[in-house]
Structures are given as structure tokens and as C-alpha cells.
Amino acid sequence: MAVTPRGRALARAVACAAILSLSAAMSLAGEVDVEAVDVSREADGTYRFDVTVAHADEGWDHYADRWEVLSEDGTVLATRVLAHPHVDEQPFTRSLGGITVPAGVTHVVVRARDSVHGHGGNEVRLALPDR
């Protein structure tokens, strides 16, 4: 049976749609979410962040590897490196203190990333206490 030009075009369209669907599914899979943030002001005026993240860590090749505190203009104020996978501990909370926030910054954004997909998933925007 001969394939017509219309049949080839239809086959290409179906193949492209399948590739786009797979690409979209892969880009959404495995993103790390910030589930909760507790922030407190220390006596010295710096801040402490306790951040809870959730991610389907698979081991050393794919895991949540950091979270960051950013000003609303996107400036990274602090980074907490997560040094190992948390396969059996989900969600999990890690802390970072001594964070200096510039004067005038009243709100921050906390985001996380994983070793495969980078930044993605749920971010949390919050007001700083005592500002």
C-alpha cells in the first residue's frame, strides 16, 4: 500500500504530538516543592529559615540538592546545600541561620532545586518578621 503525502503529514503530526507530550511530562516530573517555611529573626538581626521540601529522591543521580532564599527581585540571599539524597525521609526539613537580608527587603521567596531538573515546583513567598 502506497503512503500518500497526506498520510505522511498525518504520521509526522502524530509523532510530533507524542514527542511534545512526552517532553512536557518529563519536564514536570520530579520537580521539588517547598512545602513550608518557618522564619525567625535572631538577636543579631540575621534570620533563620527552617524549610520543608518534598521530592521523589531516587538516589545520588536524582535528588533535591538545595534550597535558596531570594529577594523579590531575584537576588539570591542564601543557599542551603543538601549534601545527600533523602530517599526514605520525605518530606524533610533543613535549616540555615545567620542570613543577612538587606534593608528595605520585606518579603522573600524560597525555592528549591533538584540535581536533574533544576529549579521548579512550588515556591513560597513570605513576609519577614519584625520588618
Side-chain angles (χ1 to χ4, degrees):
M1 173 182 231
V3 178
T4 65
R6 183 174 180 208
R8 279 192 295 272
L10 180 59
R12 279 193 301 270
V14 168
C16 286
I19 290 168
L20 289 173
S21 294
L22 181 59
S23 294
M26 288 175 64
S27 67
L28 294 176
E31 292 182 333
V32 59
D33 290 319
V34 176
E35 291 196 341
V37 178
D38 183 34
V39 59
S40 57
R41 190 159 188 187
E42 308 273 16
D44 64 1
T46 63
Y47 291 87
R48 174 190 168 94
F49 286 77
D50 300 297
V51 177
T52 301
V53 300
H55 182 262
D57 284 6
E58 297 173 355
W60 288 101
D61 292 331
H62 187 189
Y63 70 101
D65 62 0
R66 74 186 57 202
W67 55 257
E68 299 172 327
V69 178
L70 297 93
S71 63
E72 288 189 294
D73 70 2
T75 302
V76 177
L77 303 175
T79 300
R80 172 57 154 95
V81 174
L82 304 169
H84 60 86
H86 295 86
V87 175
D88 298 321
E89 182 188 359
Q90 291 292 325
F92 63 96
T93 303
R94 294 297 178 269
S95 303
L96 183 62
I99 299 172
T100 301
V101 177
V105 173
T106 59
H107 291 78
V108 295
V109 176
V110 179
R111 69 178 181 185
R113 58 163 270 148
D114 75 64
S115 59
V116 171
H117 302 100
H119 297 105
N122 186 55
E123 298 178 351
V124 172
R125 178 185 180 272
L126 68 151
L128 293 171
D130 303 325
R131 278 277 167 139

